[in-house]
Amino acid sequence: MTSQDEEKNILDSVIYNYTSNMQAIEDENRILKQTAENLKKELERFRKTPLLVCEVMDIRGEQAVIKLQNGNEFLVEISEEAKGLMPGDMALAEQKNLTIVRKISISKKFNVEKFVIIEKPTVKWKDVGGLDEQAEEIKEVVELPLKKPELFRQVGIQPPKGILLYGEPGTGKTLLAKAVAASTNSTFIEVVGSELVQKFIGEGAKQVKEIFNLARSKAPAIVFIDEIDALAAKRIEIGTSGEREVQRTFMQLLAEIDGFKHLGNVKVVGCTNRKDILDPAILRPGRLDRLIKIPLPDKEGRLEIFRIHSKDMKTEKGMNIKTIVNKMEGFSGAEIRAACTEAGYYAIRENRTTATKEDFERGIIKVRQEEMSEGEDYMRMFG
Ligand code: ATP
């Protein structure tokens, strides 16, 4: 090998080393650039102000009423990206002006079964006292169509989809609804109107839908709506978003009732102490069009109810029930039961297992006093 060749070889290897170093440097440079880019992005992310999670209460054209976690409500703008929001949705809002940036899917998921009472009641018709006429009517309009739908088909008439029981508190409305659920082997689904509108702000309508889905899946079923007036009260003016929310829930209830068949196996039993304030829409034909008044018991009724609630009690021999019941004038079924329970307590306090006439009389006085003090509280509230 000549010295010229040797020199060329050395040069080649220097060039080779140089290019591979260059390659390595370029690679390193690229990695560093990428790292710098990532760090920059992360820094930007740290600098960004966090977005607020809020609940959409109402949509008013281009704007929305939102509720923050602290309970404050604001009327805010909706960005393009968040168009199509619905009341009840959860969303992210900018901190500065609370503009809604986008919808998020952490909707308040709830299990409807947790918020309603579902049971298979065992109440018998004979557990209901003094309401024979009303029980007959309920049997005719709720029990018969569930038990013998073909009868209605043959005759060609449509039974009511639901009924409305109205009357003073404690007169046995819930008891009757449970009795009809038991006699038809139906699932009893109890919903309280006021809870529906207070607990599920923005979700009331959705909740109603789910309740009826549940009823269909557990049919035959009775949907019992206690305090239906909280949902279905006449509204003179729908101003606030809260009122609009109640209205939406009510509309959904009407839609559900309109949606099922007369001879389907879901029936609605509404219940109220305030029939006077009901929106007539709920009482229209094809809805809860059978109104049944549940009155306070008369003399005979009080006697029957007293017998029902004292039948498992040991009572003094020869006790004149009639004279006791005469002292219960104006009592509801719930008050008669309370008087019996109180009588039992008086006996227990004196180490007796038998309740005497005096125990019942003291029980009656106690219930009357409670009734009076409740009345006074009521007067104080509005006086
Ligand atoms: P509210 O309007 O306050 O919801 P309600 O009319 O639905 O009251 P219930 O809940 O049915 O009243 O009555 C409460 C309890 O009182 C019943 O569980 C039952 O023990 C007793 N009771 C009421 N009415 C009668 C009745 N007619 N016969 C027998 N028991 C009764």
Side-chain angles (χ1 to χ4, degrees):
M1 198 186 278
T2 63
S3 67
Q4 227 176 356
D5 285 342
E6 265 174 20
E7 249 173 50
K8 190 177 173 290
N9 275 352
I10 292 167
L11 215 62
D12 276 350
S13 96
V14 169
I15 288 170
Y16 176 78
N17 283 342
Y18 178 74
T19 33
S20 23
N21 277 348
M22 274 292 284
Q23 189 67 43
I25 289 167
E26 265 171 24
D27 284 350
E28 206 173 319
N29 196 16
R30 212 177 40 246
I31 291 166
L32 284 172
K33 260 191 187 158
Q34 188 68 49
T35 314
E37 196 66 31
N38 288 347
L39 284 171
K40 226 160 108 188
K41 272 190 194 156
E42 202 155 327
L43 204 65
E44 265 168 31
R45 234 178 290 147
F46 282 133
R47 278 200 192 119
K48 258 192 193 163
T49 44
L51 296 168
L52 293 170
V53 178
C54 61
E55 186 183 345
V56 180
M57 309 299 291
D58 199 8
I59 301 291
R60 296 183 180 187
E62 301 284 294
Q63 294 176 309
V65 177
I66 58 163
K67 188 178 186 179
L68 300 182
Q69 309 280 18
N70 63 8
N72 288 344
E73 291 190 18
F74 297 91
L75 180 67
V76 302
E77 299 297 322
I78 308 170
S79 75
E80 270 308 309
E81 217 187 316
K83 287 268 147 70
L85 279 177
M86 301 282 284
D89 282 344
M90 298 301 281
L92 292 176
E94 272 183 350
Q95 277 208 21
K96 256 192 206 157
N97 51 16
L98 297 180
T99 297
I100 300 182
V101 182
R102 63 175 178 274
K103 179 182 157 174
I104 44 170
S105 59
I106 47 163
S107 76
K108 287 191 301 171
K109 198 81 192 118
F110 45 67
N111 180 359
V112 66
E113 297 194 27
K114 275 195 195 153
F115 296 101
V116 293
I117 298 167
I118 310 170
E119 58 173 308
K120 283 266 183 190
T122 51
V123 176
K124 307 265 185 323
W125 289 113
K126 67 173 172 47
D127 298 331
V128 187
L131 294 171
D132 290 349
E133 247 175 65
Q134 292 77 4
E136 278 315 310
E137 195 169 354
I138 295 173
K139 283 182 196 169
E140 198 179 285
V141 295
V142 181
E143 188 184 75
L144 201 60
L146 281 172
K147 282 188 168 170
K148 295 185 175 162
E150 70 285 350
L151 208 67
F152 288 81
R153 277 193 207 101
Q154 281 158 8
V155 180
I157 56 163
Q158 293 189 324
K161 290 177 179 174
I163 54 171
L164 182 87
L165 305 179
Y166 67 97
E168 294 198 33
T171 44
K173 298 182 285 297
T174 313
L175 202 63
L176 279 169
K178 284 189 178 172
V180 76
S183 75
T184 53
N185 197 21
S186 296
T187 311
F188 185 78
I189 300 177
E190 183 175 351
V191 195
V192 181
S194 58
E195 284 186 8
L196 207 58
V197 294
Q198 281 159 15
K199 271 198 191 155
F200 308 107
I201 304 154
E203 303 269 353
K206 230 191 258 178
Q207 188 76 358
V208 166
K209 214 172 182 172
E210 297 206 11
I211 289 165
F212 279 87
N213 281 342
L214 178 76
R216 276 184 283 266
S217 74
K218 302 220 180 259
I222 306 276
V223 178
F224 179 73
I225 311 176
D226 203 0
E227 297 177 30
I228 197 166
D229 46 281
L231 274 185
K234 273 180 251 176
R235 261 162 288 272
I236 299 125
E237 193 183 329
I238 300 168
T240 68
S241 67
E243 283 162 4
R244 258 200 297 274
E245 156 65 13
V246 176
Q247 181 72 358
R248 254 194 309 272
T249 309
F250 179 47
M251 292 316 233
Q252 187 62 41
L253 174 66
L254 295 184
E256 291 295 337
I257 297 176
D258 291 344
F260 60 75
K261 296 187 186 77
H262 282 271
L263 282 170
N265 44 16
V266 175
K267 297 273 175 208
V268 180
V269 178
C271 183
T272 182
N273 308 323
R274 298 289 320 268
K275 181 183 141 254
D276 55 314
I277 59 163
L278 285 187
D279 188 325
I282 189 79
L283 308 173
R284 268 190 213 131
R287 293 179 180 158
L288 309 190
D289 52 1
R290 191 66 82 97
L291 278 76
I292 303 175
K293 182 173 173 150
I294 310 299
L296 281 172
D298 59 10
K299 209 170 164 185
E300 274 309 301
R302 287 195 294 274
L303 199 61
E304 262 183 50
I305 300 171
F306 179 80
R307 286 209 171 100
I308 291 169
H309 291 292
S310 61
K311 75 173 188 304
D312 293 330
M313 295 174 78
K314 259 201 222 158
T315 53
E316 187 185 6
K317 258 202 190 120
M319 190 178 78
N320 190 337
I321 294 178
K322 280 197 180 149
T323 55
I324 295 174
V325 173
N326 278 345
K327 298 198 163 111
M328 293 188 183
E329 201 168 339
F331 270 20
S332 67
E335 286 167 330
I336 297 171
R337 186 179 81 163
C340 291
T341 310
E342 288 301 335
Y345 271 117
Y346 284 117
I348 288 173
R349 274 182 217 131
E350 291 173 15
N351 284 326
R352 286 181 278 111
T353 51
T354 304
T356 61
K357 178 170 165 269
E358 285 70 36
D359 292 331
F360 283 104
E361 283 169 351
R362 283 155 85 189
I364 294 168
I365 292 169
K366 179 133 196 271
V367 173
R368 262 207 211 287
Q369 275 168 349
E370 273 164 18
E371 186 191 20
M372 266 155 64
S373 71
E374 264 171 34
E376 278 166 19
D377 286 348
Y378 187 80
M379 293 305 285
R380 229 173 282 133
M381 221 157 56
F382 296 100

